[in-house]
């Protein structure tokens, strides 16, 4: 990776320029942060694991009709992707009460929900990514109504596909956060990553947490945890 090629530095990734103006390289760093960067660490090889896990998940979603920014994995840390203009919303889908929702509503972590919950928060570090509702997002001009509905629809499709996938490896998909962006041709596609950094996965039998909560809550070793997810996915072979 060439430092001069960095277009943008995020908390866990760099975006690097390529010689095509509609493509970028996503570089997975080893940095781990939580609570909007208040807790920080550098965990050797985390980026490699997240690149591998995202590669498997994005290829599976693409095979199942989900449009994404992903083009190909270049090496241990880099993916070639379509350049996108990101929708400044975090799309969160919850199947089981956990994390901030459990805390905010005083609900016990692990409570089954009668249907998936769709949440959005405004991507703004200074404001701590505040939760907002559809009217806020539309009336403030953050997203067009049709596009918001399309993203929700895609998110629920992704949820169905991933619940099934993780079930095959004895994992419960508790919740996840995804992002969408517009390509040069104005197509709305899934972007960013899908890894244990942006979802909660619990072992079906033991309910052990196998995701970034291990880092957030000091529950153990991140590399062992993420390797466990990768090993289970790799055992499935071609998806
Ligand atoms: P939360 O319960 O802390 O709101 O998190 C909901 C889901 O979103 C969980 O799977 C973790 C993920 N997430 C991110 O990917 N990035 C974030 O900045 C936050 C707060 C959560
Ligand atoms: N990614 C967020 C941060 O770094 C928070 C989180 O994942 O808990 O602050």
């Amino acid at each position: 990776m060439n430092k001069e090629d960095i277009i943008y530095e995020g908390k866990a990734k760099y975006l690097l320029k390529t010689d095509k103006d509609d493509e970028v390289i996503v570089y997975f760093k080893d940095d781990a942060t939580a609570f909007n960067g208040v807790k920080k660490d550098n965990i050797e090889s985390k980026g490699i694991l997240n690149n591998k896990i995202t590669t498997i998940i994005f290829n599976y979603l693409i095979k199942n009709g989900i449009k994404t920014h992903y083009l190909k994995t270049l090496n241990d840390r880099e993916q070639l992707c379509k350049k996108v203009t990101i929708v400044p919303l975090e799309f969160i889908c919850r199947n089981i009460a956990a994390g901030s929702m459990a805390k905010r509503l005083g609900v016990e972590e692990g409570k089954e929900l009668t249907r998936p919950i769709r949440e959005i928060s405004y991507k703004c570090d200074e404001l701590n990514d505040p939760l907002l509702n559809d009217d806020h997002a539309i009336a403030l001009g953050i997203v067009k109504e049709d596009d918001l509905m399309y993203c929700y629809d895609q998110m629920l499709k992704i949820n169905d596909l991933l619940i099934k996938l993780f079930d095959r490896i004895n994992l419960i998909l508790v919740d996840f956060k995804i992002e969408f962006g517009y390509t040069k041709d104005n197509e709305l596609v899934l972007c960013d990553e899908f890894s244990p950094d942006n979802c909660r996965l619990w072992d079906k039998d033991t309910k052990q947490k196998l995701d970034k909560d291990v880092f957030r809550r000091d529950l153990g070793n991140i590399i062992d945890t993420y390797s466990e997810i990768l090993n289970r996915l790799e055992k499935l072979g071609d998806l």
Side-chain angles (χ1 to χ4, degrees):
M1 185 197 75
N2 269 330
K3 286 265 177 206
E4 313 85 75
D5 293 336
I6 298 173
I7 308 169
Y8 173 80
E9 180 171 5
K11 294 196 189 84
K13 293 183 291 296
Y14 290 118
L15 285 189
L16 311 174
K17 67 175 178 225
T18 66
D19 42 20
K20 290 198 181 155
D21 69 359
D22 56 350
E23 292 180 4
V24 291
I25 289 170
V26 174
Y27 179 100
F28 287 76
K29 301 193 288 180
D30 286 338
D31 296 341
T33 64
F35 316 116
N36 199 13
V38 171
K39 184 175 164 92
K40 279 189 209 156
D41 205 349
N42 185 274
I43 301 168
E44 201 187 324
S45 302
K46 182 181 79 94
I48 297 175
L49 289 165
N50 281 350
N51 182 20
K52 288 191 169 147
I53 294 168
T54 298
T55 297
I56 294 173
I57 302 280
F58 271 47
N59 276 314
Y60 165 77
L61 291 174
I62 290 164
K63 257 195 183 164
N64 285 281
I66 302 293
K67 300 243 166 65
T68 82
H69 74 155
Y70 174 86
L71 294 169
K72 66 176 173 184
T73 296
L74 300 172
N75 55 47
D76 262 4
R77 290 190 182 270
E78 296 179 329
Q79 295 179 0
L80 186 67
C81 294
K82 291 178 190 165
K83 192 187 230 172
V84 294
T85 305
I86 207 93
V87 177
L89 292 172
E90 301 204 325
F91 286 82
I92 294 158
C93 186
R94 301 182 187 272
N95 297 309
I96 292 185
S100 68
M101 191 196 86
K103 198 170 168 199
R104 194 175 64 251
L105 302 181
V107 178
E108 192 191 338
E109 233 188 15
K111 184 181 166 62
E112 299 265 350
L113 303 169
T114 59
R115 60 181 222 183
I117 290 178
R118 302 165 307 166
E119 245 177 44
I120 44 174
S121 64
Y122 184 38
K123 269 174 76 67
C124 176
D125 282 342
E126 296 77 58
L127 298 174
N128 236 331
D129 297 345
L131 194 64
L132 71 180
N133 71 19
D134 295 3
D135 281 345
H136 291 116
I138 296 160
L140 290 168
I142 295 170
V143 67
K144 291 200 195 85
E145 184 164 7
D146 288 357
D147 288 352
L148 179 63
M149 294 309 134
Y150 176 78
C151 291
Y152 278 149
D153 184 59
Q154 290 293 292
M155 179 164 79
L156 292 179
K157 287 196 171 109
I158 290 165
N159 189 38
D160 285 343
L161 287 165
L162 294 183
I163 285 175
K164 284 189 202 124
L165 177 69
F166 288 120
D167 184 68
R168 288 170 63 193
I169 50 174
N170 214 40
L171 292 170
I172 302 167
L173 179 61
V174 173
D175 55 32
F176 61 87
K177 184 271 295 180
I178 49 176
E179 298 187 23
F180 292 91
Y182 298 95
T183 64
K184 182 176 99 285
D185 306 321
N186 228 22
E187 192 174 34
L188 203 42
V189 298
L190 175 69
C191 20
D192 196 41
E193 65 177 297
F194 201 103
S195 76
D197 264 10
N198 63 284
C199 69
R200 288 194 172 92
L201 295 166
W202 294 352
D203 184 86
K204 253 165 64 178
D205 300 322
T206 63
K207 303 288 183 305
Q208 186 188 354
K209 297 184 194 329
L210 294 169
D211 54 63
K212 196 175 165 189
D213 272 348
V214 169
F215 170 72
R216 292 188 190 99
R217 305 179 189 191
D218 294 319
L219 300 175
N221 183 299
I222 274 283
I223 297 304
D224 292 350
T225 304
Y226 288 25
S227 301
E228 171 72 25
I229 300 296
L230 179 62
N231 290 342
R232 290 196 200 188
L233 283 168
E234 282 179 338
K235 279 206 189 112
L236 288 172
D238 267 350
L239 294 171

